[in-house]
Structures are given as structure tokens and as C-alpha cells.
Amino acid sequence: MNKKLRLAIVGASLLTAFGITSNVKLAIASSYNYKVATVTAKPMAHLYDKNGQLIADRVLIANTDWRVGEIKKINSEDYLQVSTNEWLRLNDSRTNFDMATGHIYHDFIGTVKGTNTSVYNDETKQYSNQSSRFPKNSAWKVSYIIKNSQGQYFYRVSNHEFITKNGMWLNDIPQDTDVSYQADFGLNAGGSSSNNVNPVSHSDSNITPTQPAKTNDEKPNTTPTQPNNNQPGKVTPTFNEDTDSIARAIVNSVNNERASQGIPALKQHSGLMAAAAVRAQEQVKSYGHIRPNGQNWSSILTTQYYPETETDSAENAINITAEVTDPNRLAEITMMGFKSSAGHYRAIMNPIYKDIGVGVYLDKPNNRYYVIQIFANPYVDWRNQK
């Protein structure tokens, strides 16, 4: 029997590349990059052999995750292989992939919108106000999205708790393949479902960050929302257009993270900051590590911005919601996204890098910030060294 899988928190629309040879696309990385089934039968699920015969002394505990091998039908019922000759009934589990296509669902990071958090529990079929547990702007992993017959979206934030779309911003736009359809989900439920805010939850899905300390002279980063004169009754979105302040906050966040592990701070390099700003704007046209002109991202490391380094450099990319305006909070969301991926986090914590550049571009039409981090070392031509 394979070992119980450890749940990993991941999320954010992420991209990373190292040097000039690697371009790894991890768009909204999922908790597992392979097929997994979560046991839903209470308090346990029975196991069966390849012929559908009950294995009397083998069970799986509820809410545990198991890697799936083959999928087969036995007597017109779907079974999932969880070890060499042990099979789990699909009806006793929930999968992280689409049974028809094999597409693996992705995880997202959701941010609570308001001050009244209504949580829907799919076991009790009740809504309840959880505003004290889930404060405004707290962030949560969303591992499953359900759409019902009324067009309502529910974001799963713990084993049985969901938050509605009205109450939470996601760090990226779900695709059809990321959404599961359940016609009656959340309907005819008890309690209050006035979701100006939404359902969030506890357990291992909680990734609420510590709020950054504020200094006495810190100025607010938001401005009052103004009426849209062209469309009476509507308001214009509020954005933080000071992307330089967001970039500086992200640099500080990186250095704070490195300091927590005893790794020297990176120097904010003006040339890399300018290069990263260019790369952030390029993401709107070509999201990833290939530039709009077809060249690799590292072609930006020219003498205009930075002496070219062919091996000791890396680029991280992410896009996040622009509905959060505080630079420190945006830096936290960015760090959470990169920490969810080993490759991105490795670049952040790599002690060989000495310099950093961060660029942020505000894409107003799509309500997104594109963030680029570039890590590099000063180029040294050792042939000229004595």
C-alpha cells in the first residue's frame, strides 16, 4: 500500500525559468501534479481487489489522499487503483482530476473580500457566519470549485467548507476544466448565505499570513472609490498604480524570507529593476519566459540593464489580483504563491544570487498585476582577473 500523501499548499499562476536553458510553465500549480483520490466515505472506505471483491481487512480513513494508478469499471462501477491489487470505489472518494479527460484540477489562492464571512458546509447543508475566523483580506487555498444550476460558484477551502464567488477573489481565472458541476449544490440550505463575503475554512487549508507591521508614518495606499459618471449607479475600480512601491515591498519580502533562513540579503539592482519592469509589461502579450519577439527571457540581461550572465540567473513570474491595494499585502500574496512551488521558492532562497530586480505591471482591463522577479550575479570575466 502506498503511503498516505502529504497535502501541500500551492496556488497562484506561476512561471519560473533558470539561466537561459529552462522554461518551466506551472500555470496555477495543483497540490499534486498526478492523479489523487480523497476518501469521502465516513468514517472509512473499503478496498476491493481487481475483480471487485471486498478485501475484508483493508480500509482507508476518511479525508486521506491516495495516488491513483489505473481506472477501471467493474460491474459498471468505476474503481481507482490505489496500490498493486487494491481498488477504491469512485463513489467513496473525490478525485483531483476529470474522469473523462484526465485533466488535473488546479489549486488557487483566494482572498476574503469583506467583513462578514458566510461559510457553506456541504455536510450540514448550512450557511453560518464566520466573520471572526475569516477576516477581510485573509488568504486561503482553494482546492476545488463547484458550479450549481443557478450559476453560483463555490470555492472549497477545507474538507467540507466552501466560500462563494461573491465573497472571495481568486488569484487567477478558473477554466472550465477547473470547475465541477453539481446542480443542487448550496441550494435549499439553512442559515444565512448573504455572501458579501464568503465561506472559508480551517484545517490545513488555512494559509492566512501574519499581517505586516505598519509604521506610524505609513500612508494609506487606497483612495476612495469615485462614482463613474458615464455609468450612473456604478463605481470605478480602485487600483494602486504606484507599482514601484509594490516592487519594493516584494524585494523586502524576499529578503525577509531569506533572512529567516540565515541567507544573505539580495541587493536591489537598478538595472535589474528596470529589466524586470519591462518583462512584467511583456507578460500581457506573452505570459511566460518567451518574450513577445520570440527570444528567451534572459535576452533582457544585456549591457543596457545588466552584464549578461548565462548560468547564474533566474526569472519568476506570477499574476495576482489587483483588487488588493496595500503593497505589503500584495507582497505577501506574491510570496505565498511562489512558496507553493519548489522551483520558484528555490530561486528566491538560492544563496548564489547576489542581485534582484522586481517589476510590477498593472493590467487594468483584466484586474491583474503581473509580477516578475529576476535573480542574477554580476558577470565576471575571469580570464582578465589576476
Side-chain angles (χ1 to χ4, degrees), residues 160-209:
H160 295 286
E161 292 182 299
F162 292 78
I163 196 168
T164 66
K165 179 180 179 180
N166 288 340
M168 175 171 277
W169 292 304
L170 292 186
N171 65 312
D172 211 329
I173 300 173
Q175 304 301 307
D176 290 343
T177 50
D178 297 313
V179 179
S180 176
Y181 180 77
Q182 295 185 30
D184 61 350
F185 193 87
L187 302 178
N188 303 316
S192 171
S193 61
S194 56
N195 286 307
N196 296 328
V197 216
N198 40 308
V200 194
S201 79
H202 58 296
S203 81
D204 50 13
S205 291
N206 183 343
I207 53 172
T208 309

Side-chain angles (χ1 to χ4, degrees), residues 198-250:
N198 40 308
V200 194
S201 79
H202 58 296
S203 81
D204 50 13
S205 291
N206 183 343
I207 53 172
T208 309
T210 303
Q211 296 299 319
K214 297 182 182 294
T215 60
N216 292 331
D217 60 349
E218 180 177 349
K219 296 180 180 180
N221 294 292
T222 59
T223 56
T225 302
Q226 300 297 325
N228 186 332
N229 296 326
N230 296 325
Q231 300 181 30
K234 294 187 178 182
V235 294
T236 57
T238 300
F239 299 112
N240 182 352
E241 298 188 44
D242 185 4
T243 53
D244 288 343
S245 69
I246 299 171
R248 290 192 298 269
I250 293 172

Side-chain angles (χ1 to χ4, degrees), residues 73-192:
K73 282 190 179 293
I74 304 175
N75 298 324
S76 300
E77 187 173 3
D78 288 313
Y79 284 77
L80 310 172
Q81 184 185 33
V82 293
S83 74
T84 303
N85 192 32
E86 293 180 321
W87 298 75
L88 172 68
R89 294 171 64 243
L90 177 62
N91 288 340
D92 291 335
S93 64
R94 176 181 57 250
T95 64
N96 74 331
F97 60 94
D98 185 279
M99 287 290 293
T101 65
H103 170 79
I104 297 175
Y105 300 128
H106 296 115
D107 280 348
F108 298 83
I109 299 296
T111 303
V112 176
K113 288 183 179 180
T115 56
N116 295 310
T117 305
S118 181
V119 176
Y120 176 68
N121 188 299
D122 69 346
E123 276 195 318
T124 64
K125 312 299 182 186
Q126 297 283 319
Y127 288 94
S128 60
N129 186 290
Q130 302 288 344
S131 55
S132 61
R133 289 173 55 206
F134 310 108
K136 181 178 179 179
N137 290 333
S138 58
W140 305 81
K141 185 191 74 170
V142 174
S143 57
Y144 196 61
I145 301 174
I146 295 176
K147 179 182 179 181
N148 66 18
S149 60
Q150 301 300 311
Q152 294 175 301
Y153 287 84
F154 294 79
Y155 303 148
R156 179 177 179 259
V157 289
S158 77
N159 290 333
H160 295 286
E161 292 182 299
F162 292 78
I163 196 168
T164 66
K165 179 180 179 180
N166 288 340
M168 175 171 277
W169 292 304
L170 292 186
N171 65 312
D172 211 329
I173 300 173
Q175 304 301 307
D176 290 343
T177 50
D178 297 313
V179 179
S180 176
Y181 180 77
Q182 295 185 30
D184 61 350
F185 193 87
L187 302 178
N188 303 316
S192 171

Side-chain angles (χ1 to χ4, degrees), residues 15 278-288 315 317 370 372:
L15 299 170
V278 172
R279 289 288 297 126
Q281 187 169 359
E282 290 179 348
Q283 297 301 297
V284 178
K285 294 182 179 180
S286 179
Y287 185 49
E315 178 184 80
Y370 286 94
I372 288 290

Side-chain angles (χ1 to χ4, degrees), residues 4 35 54 58 62 221 223 317 347 367:
K4 176 184 173 182
K35 296 176 181 178
L54 178 70
R58 303 292 288 178
N221 294 292
T223 56
N367 199 25

